[in-house]
């Protein structure tokens, strides 16, 4: 066993807290904390207990994560630096200081990614998936690749000379290119040329194989080099390299634009031509050629990363072959809640019986889709209101909303145009909804609408009933298969009125004065959180039990961190499950000795936001205050977005949150890293990793409480002990 125990539910004696040096900061840097999260993803790529292709997937995810980090976060810091905009981060670092530290950590991560790729290539070869170099190709293989080149690649290639008559071309964000030094001939001078690699072609070209033979693939750039005579006939290539650019992915738009939709359409076009933030290039690049590229794309030398193995680590996901399921996670089919089956799929009837909480992806997101689809086709439904922050390209929810509008129902869709990297898709879907007759609302100019709310108003007898869905994640059926989130269904009148007020607030600036068991940012959510934390501190000072359990993606908001520090000093035991960014420094004597933080990274992406406050009793208990939320504890979520915080009242739902979801996360040792006082994360390890408690496996194998229905709860395991009735 390691010296770190990730079982927060039944811990060993705690380690002595560290002492904060007077020169040390009270907070961790946001950007460096995010990079620490990506380190954990990279670690999974070298975890031999994971299926091999899942390790490849983790390597790919770490590459894509780093790309987005540079296109957004590093781009923003460079903009601050360039414009001499002063103002330090929470931990006191300037933009320039942060960029220096980011570069150090990023170089370490990229070096590790390249080393792991070399190890994975050998492991793949051992399992019959071979990534072949040019010198490993037989004549038969070369002939096949040349046919593929001429039929499927050559028609969409455009070689580009670089000389005074041909200025350096625009290379799009994330675009891969080959660069060549072409030797002079008797009648032609030496010239450099570019060959943008078409993104319509897979990065790895698969060679044909017979049954029992290995799967063999060749990198696209190697195929292009193999066929260079077809691209530059009669010319000799003296040297070549592969390079890839990342551009500023942030949007610069006029917030006072009269037509916000049109302004975003224009801004998206501008983003495609954003400044170059960084470049990755082959380590063997000829010096003269490399210098010309650096100068032409106007990238600073310190943001040029030379790699020996593969440019564009994110592309290795192409190696996750459909025919090699044996090297991936065992297939998992989400459960359909028995409660819904009890009512033959009638979700309204199931919710009328009792509030219901679904835990995705373990319980199918199809229930959420069916909720909207059923509403669209139910003649008794008169109105539907729906937030849309991120959803899939061909969204069944958008299609259901269109169907409802065409059926004459009142449909209001609150579409967030500022959902980063999904703006274009959201604009298309907004147009589609408008054509169907739905009322499309774009929300506030200065606030993102991040809340996840859907309401259905149904005529039942001579009265109207409101059915409401609150989610911790997006209405996205694809990501719902890998993101862990909570879906809460209720026909509680107070929550229905509250949800309606949320829509009225965004659509008509009608700020709600009161809401029942519902808080929203930027108005009441943060004050409610601070008040709940303060009450725990008061209970601790009064000698009553005091504890906080919370789960989220990120914690960086200063006022909340300070409130948690004060609670710790008062004697409140705080256990936090924070997947990504954490600015709070735990385990410091006199500051945070009663706070523990862990990060869970594994098969599924932890995404749900939950908080539980002991309220004078030991957690878990009937007296506890239990909430789900769309908001992380970040400045943007609490102060600059429209978010929801829903207090759960139903005993079964509360028990599911505390005794199952939070308890399993706190007890997990298989996927957990514990944050140390110095900012390092230590993974819980043992001599037998496969015997460790795995919260993801627990949820896959066991039914949940509130969706159990007539099947009963006798076979539903709980991990903590409380007086809750299921």
């Amino acid at each position: 066993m390691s010296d770190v125990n990730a079982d927060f539910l039944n811990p060993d004696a705690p380690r002595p807290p560290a002492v904060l040096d007077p020169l040390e900061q009270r907070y961790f840097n946001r950007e460096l904390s995010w990079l620490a999260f990506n380190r954990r993803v990279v670690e999974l790529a070298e975890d031999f207990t994971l299926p091999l292709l899942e390790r490849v997937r983790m390597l790919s995810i770490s590459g894509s994560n780093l790309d987005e980090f540079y296109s957004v976060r590093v781009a923003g810091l460079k903009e601050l630096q360039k414009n001499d905009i002063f103002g330090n981060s929470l931990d006191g670092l300037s933009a320039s200081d942060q960029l220096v530290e980011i570069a150090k950590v990023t170089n370490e991560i990229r070096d590790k990614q390249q080393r792991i790729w070399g190890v994975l290539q050998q492991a793949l070869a051992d399992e019959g998936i071979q990534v072949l170099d040019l010198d490993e190709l037989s004549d038969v293989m070369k002939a096949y690749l040349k046919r593929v080149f001429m039929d499927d690649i050559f028609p969409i290639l455009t070689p580009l000379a670089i000389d005074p008559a041909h200025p350096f071309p625009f290379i799009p964000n994330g675009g891969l290119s080959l660069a060549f030094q072409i030797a002079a001939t008797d009648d032609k001078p030496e010239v450099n040329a570019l060959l943008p690699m078409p993104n319509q072609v897979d990065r790895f070209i698969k060679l044909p194989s017979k049954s029992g033979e290995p799967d063999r693939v060749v990198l696209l750039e190697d195929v292009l080099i193999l066929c260079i005579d077809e691209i530059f006939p009669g010319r000799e290539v003296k040297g070549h390299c592969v390079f890839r650019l990342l551009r500023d992915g942030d949007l610069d738009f006029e917030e006072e634009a009269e037509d916000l939709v049109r302004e975003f359409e224009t801004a998206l076009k501008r983003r495609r031509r954003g400044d170059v933030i960084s470049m990755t290039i082959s380590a063997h690049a000829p010096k003269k050629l490399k210098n010309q590229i650096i100068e032409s794309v106007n990238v600073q030398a310190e943001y040029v990363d030379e790699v020996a193995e593969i440019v564009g680590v994110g592309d290795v996901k192409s190696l996750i072959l459909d025919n090699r399921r044996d090297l991936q996670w065992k297939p998992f089919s989400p459960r359909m809640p028995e409660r819904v089956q009890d009512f033959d799929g009638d979700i309204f009837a199931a919710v009328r019986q009792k509030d219901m909480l679904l835990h995705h992806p373990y319980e199918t997101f199809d229930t959420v889709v069916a909720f909207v689809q059923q509403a669209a086709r139910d003649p008794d439904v008169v109105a539907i209101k729906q937030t849309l922050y991120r959803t899939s390209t061909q969204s069944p929810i958008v299609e259901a909303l269109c169907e409802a509008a065409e059926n004459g129902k009142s449909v209001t869709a609150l579409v967030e145009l500022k959902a980063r990297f999904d703006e274009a898709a959201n604009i298309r879907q907004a147009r589609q909804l408008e054509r169907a007759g739905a009322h499309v609302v774009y929300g506030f100019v200065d606030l993102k609408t991040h809340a996840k709310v859907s309401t259905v108003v149904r005529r039942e007898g001579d009265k109207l009933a409101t059915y409401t869905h609150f989610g911790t994640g997006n209405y996205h059926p694809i990501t719902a298969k890998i993101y862990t989130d909570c879906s809460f269904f209720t026909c509680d009148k107070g929550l229905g009125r509250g949800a309606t007020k949320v829509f009225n607030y965004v659509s008509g600036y009608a700020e709600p004065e009161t809401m029942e068991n519902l808080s929203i940012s930027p108005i009441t959510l943060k004050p409610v959180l601070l008040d709940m934390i303060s009450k725990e501190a008061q209970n601790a000072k009064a000698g009553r039990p005091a504890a906080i359990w919370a789960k989220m993606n990120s914690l960086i908001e200063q006022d909340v961190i300070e409130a948690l520090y004060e609670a710790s000093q008062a004697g409140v035991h705080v256990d936090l499950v924070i997947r990504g960014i954490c600015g709070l420094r735990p385990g410091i004597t006199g500051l945070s000795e009663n706070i523990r933080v862990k990060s869970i990274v594994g098969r599924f992406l932890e995404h749900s936001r939950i908080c539980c406050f002991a309220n004078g009793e030991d957690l878990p208990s009937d007296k506890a205050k239990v909430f789900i939320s769309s908001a992380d504890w970040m400045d943007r979520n609490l102060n600059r977005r429209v978010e929801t915080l829903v207090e759960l009242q139903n005993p079964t739902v509360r028990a599911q949150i505390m005794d199952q979801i939070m308890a399993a996360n706190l007890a997990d040792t298989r996927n957990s890293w514990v944050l140390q006082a110095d900012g390092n994360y230590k993974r819980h390890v043992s001599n037998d990793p496969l015997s460790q408690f795995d919260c993801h496996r627990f949820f896959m194998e066991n039914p949940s409480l509130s969706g159990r229905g007539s099947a009963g709860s006798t076979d539903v395991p709980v991990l903590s002990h409380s007086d809750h009735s299921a």
Side-chain angles (χ1 to χ4, degrees):
M1 176 70 71
S2 70
D3 62 351
V4 60
N5 184 8
D7 182 357
F8 286 7
L9 194 62
N10 298 293
D12 297 330
R15 289 166 55 80
V19 177
L20 184 67
D21 186 286
L23 298 178
E24 289 182 305
Q25 297 294 332
R26 294 164 70 90
Y27 314 105
F28 294 128
N29 180 267
R30 170 193 169 130
E31 317 305 344
L32 300 181
S33 182
W34 183 91
L35 287 170
F37 159 68
N38 208 40
R39 278 184 188 272
R40 298 194 286 281
V41 179
V42 174
E43 273 191 56
L44 288 178
E46 57 182 351
D47 184 342
F48 71 92
T49 66
L50 268 61
L52 179 56
L53 289 181
E54 301 302 337
R55 293 169 60 191
V56 173
R57 192 190 309 276
M58 291 299 174
L59 182 64
S60 170
I61 290 171
S62 75
S64 299
N65 283 349
L66 202 55
D67 288 349
E68 183 173 333
F69 177 76
Y70 261 74
S71 291
V72 178
R73 301 301 305 178
V74 173
L77 289 170
K78 289 185 73 174
E79 192 69 18
L80 293 176
Q81 182 189 52
K82 182 173 112 177
N83 292 289
D84 293 324
I85 297 174
F86 298 101
N88 294 344
S89 60
L90 192 61
D91 61 318
L93 296 182
S94 68
S96 296
D97 293 335
Q98 292 179 80
L99 287 169
V100 169
E101 294 302 316
I102 287 168
K104 291 178 186 175
V105 178
T106 300
N107 287 339
E108 293 172 7
I109 291 175
R110 284 178 171 154
D111 287 346
K112 191 169 187 178
Q113 287 173 330
Q114 295 294 312
R115 290 196 303 272
I116 291 173
W117 172 236
V119 171
L120 287 176
Q121 276 186 278
Q122 182 57 57
L124 287 166
D126 293 343
E127 291 289 351
I129 302 175
Q130 299 176 353
V131 182
L132 300 181
D133 294 327
L134 284 177
D135 57 7
E136 298 176 288
L137 298 177
S138 67
D139 290 341
V140 172
M141 293 175 182
K142 290 178 180 178
Y144 171 80
L145 290 172
K146 288 180 179 180
R147 289 196 300 273
V148 170
F149 171 82
M150 293 305 297
D151 293 343
D152 301 328
I153 303 174
F154 182 73
I156 53 178
L157 288 179
T158 305
L160 303 165
I162 307 169
D163 59 26
H166 300 85
F168 200 92
F170 175 77
I171 306 297
N173 181 40
L176 278 165
S177 296
L178 271 167
F180 298 96
Q181 275 186 332
I182 300 174
T185 63
D186 292 341
D187 58 342
K188 294 177 182 177
E190 179 179 305
V191 67
N192 291 340
L194 294 186
L195 187 64
M197 289 195 270
N199 56 19
Q200 299 86 353
V201 180
D202 287 340
R203 183 73 186 278
F204 293 88
I205 308 299
K206 193 173 185 302
L207 289 160
S209 60
K210 297 177 182 177
S211 178
E213 290 185 340
D215 291 299
R216 298 183 180 95
V217 297
V218 182
L219 278 163
L220 174 59
E221 52 263 44
D222 285 342
V223 175
L224 297 179
I225 293 165
L226 174 68
C227 302
I228 198 68
D229 289 343
E230 300 291 347
I231 303 170
F232 299 107
R235 303 297 298 268
E236 177 192 353
V237 174
K238 293 172 57 179
H240 70 276
C241 65
V242 179
F243 71 95
R244 182 171 180 266
L245 305 180
L246 289 177
R247 295 183 177 273
D248 186 341
D250 212 347
L251 279 174
D252 177 22
F253 69 97
E254 176 53 59
E255 291 194 345
E256 301 302 323
E258 191 169 314
D259 186 334
L260 193 57
V261 178
R262 188 173 297 115
E263 179 63 29
F264 263 91
E265 289 172 337
T266 304
L268 286 169
K269 293 172 184 174
R270 288 203 298 272
R271 182 164 69 189
R272 295 189 193 107
R273 301 191 65 88
D275 292 341
V276 174
I277 301 301
S278 71
M279 181 176 79
T280 310
I281 191 168
S282 308
H284 61 72
K287 185 175 180 180
K288 184 177 177 182
L289 183 60
K290 180 180 76 172
N291 290 340
Q292 183 179 21
I293 295 169
I294 291 172
E295 182 180 351
S296 298
V297 302
N298 194 28
V299 63
Q300 295 166 276
E302 60 265 35
Y303 291 99
V304 177
D305 185 42
E306 298 186 23
V307 298
E309 293 285 344
I310 184 171
V311 175
V313 165
D315 290 341
V316 300
K317 63 180 179 291
S318 299
L319 289 173
I320 303 171
L321 305 176
D322 291 338
N323 65 319
R324 294 307 305 268
R325 291 295 314 174
D326 58 309
L327 299 178
Q328 301 177 51
W329 298 118
K330 291 181 180 178
F332 165 68
S333 297
R335 293 183 296 275
M336 173 62 72
E338 290 90 346
R339 171 91 66 79
V340 176
Q341 296 178 58
D342 289 346
F343 292 92
D344 297 323
D346 186 339
I347 298 170
F348 299 139
V351 175
R352 267 198 306 275
Q353 184 196 48
K354 189 190 289 186
D355 290 352
M356 181 170 64
L357 183 96
L358 304 186
H359 191 199
H360 310 304
Y362 314 106
E363 293 168 299
T364 180
F365 188 79
D366 290 348
T367 307
V368 179
V369 175
F371 175 68
V372 184
Q373 291 174 333
Q374 184 178 332
R377 295 159 192 168
D378 187 337
D380 292 324
V381 168
V382 296
I384 305 172
K385 295 185 179 183
Q386 175 80 51
T387 64
L388 292 170
Y389 185 73
R390 297 189 198 278
T391 188
S392 53
T393 304
Q394 299 295 324
S395 169
I397 288 180
V398 171
E399 290 173 359
L401 294 173
C402 290
E403 181 182 356
E406 290 164 353
N407 287 341
K409 303 181 191 305
S410 173
V411 176
T412 302
L414 203 167
V415 179
E416 179 50 68
L417 294 179
K418 299 184 288 295
R420 193 186 303 277
F421 299 120
D422 280 323
E423 302 94 345
N426 286 1
I427 289 171
R428 287 194 301 272
Q429 290 174 344
R431 300 298 195 203
Q432 180 184 350
L433 286 160
E434 286 177 330
R435 287 193 296 270
H439 304 290
V440 176
V441 179
Y442 297 113
F444 298 102
V445 170
D446 55 346
L447 300 174
K448 280 187 180 181
T449 303
H450 193 250
K452 315 302 192 298
V453 187
S454 179
T455 67
V456 173
V457 181
R458 190 171 186 271
R459 190 173 300 283
E460 297 180 352
D462 59 352
K463 296 181 179 179
L464 293 178
T466 300
Y467 295 82
T468 310
H469 170 265
F470 293 97
T472 64
N474 300 306
Y475 290 98
H476 197 308
I478 306 303
T479 58
K481 294 178 180 178
I482 55 173
Y483 285 28
T484 73
D485 273 305
C486 295
S487 278
F488 177 57
F489 293 91
T490 183
C491 58
D492 177 84
K493 292 181 180 179
L495 285 174
R497 286 190 292 268
T500 299
K501 290 178 181 180
V502 173
F503 283 101
N504 293 346
Y505 171 52
V506 179
S507 65
Y509 304 125
E511 184 171 317
E513 294 184 353
T514 58
M515 287 192 289
E516 304 158 66
N517 300 322
L518 180 65
S519 306
I520 61 170
S521 63
I523 305 171
T524 56
L525 198 160
K526 178 180 170 181
V528 166
L529 279 180
L530 294 176
D531 181 60
M532 296 304 302
I533 296 170
S534 175
K535 286 179 178 176
E536 290 303 310
Q538 293 169 24
N539 284 334
K541 290 175 182 176
R544 292 188 288 270
I548 299 170
W549 290 353
K551 178 180 183 296
M552 66 203 74
N553 302 315
S554 301
L555 167 61
I556 201 70
E557 212 276 344
Q558 185 174 11
D559 292 338
V560 174
I561 293 175
E562 287 297 325
L564 291 170
Y565 284 158
E566 291 176 15
S568 172
Q569 292 164 38
V572 180
H573 294 280
V574 181
D575 287 328
L576 304 174
V577 181
I578 302 173
R579 185 197 76 217
I581 300 165
C582 181
L584 177 147
R585 188 187 288 266
I588 300 292
T589 299
L591 179 70
S592 57
E593 61 263 48
N594 291 312
I595 303 177
R596 295 180 297 182
V597 180
K598 68 152 70 174
S599 170
I600 293 178
V601 186
R603 175 169 181 170
F604 300 109
L605 183 77
E606 292 297 331
H607 194 255
S608 53
R609 291 94 168 192
I610 297 168
C611 47
C612 308
F613 300 91
N615 197 30
E617 301 284 346
D618 290 324
L619 276 175
S621 80
D622 289 337
K623 303 294 185 184
K625 296 282 189 178
V626 181
F627 302 83
I628 62 168
S629 181
S630 62
D632 290 312
W633 292 358
M634 304 178 74
D635 176 65
R636 69 184 188 192
N637 299 90
L638 302 183
N639 303 313
R640 300 196 307 276
R641 288 186 174 183
V642 178
E643 306 270 16
T644 58
L645 177 72
V646 184
E647 184 172 359
L648 304 174
Q649 300 290 318
N650 179 271
T652 308
V653 170
R654 290 159 48 84
Q656 183 178 343
I657 289 287
M658 286 187 284
D659 298 334
Q660 284 192 306
I661 297 176
M662 284 305 301
N665 275 269
L666 292 171
D668 180 272
T669 54
R670 177 70 182 91
N671 311 290
S672 294
W673 284 256
V674 179
L675 177 58
Q676 307 298 297
D678 61 3
N680 290 315
Y681 281 81
K682 289 189 177 181
R683 192 174 187 184
H684 185 119
V685 296
S686 72
N687 294 329
D688 183 11
L690 296 179
S691 70
Q692 294 177 294
F693 181 74
D694 183 338
C695 67
H696 294 164
R697 188 175 64 219
F698 172 81
F699 292 126
M700 285 191 289
E701 293 176 350
N702 296 290
S704 62
L705 283 166
S706 71
R708 196 63 172 141
S710 62
S713 60
T714 57
D715 64 341
V716 178
V718 294
L719 297 172
S720 57
H721 303 287
S722 69
D723 296 328
H724 291 298
S725 171

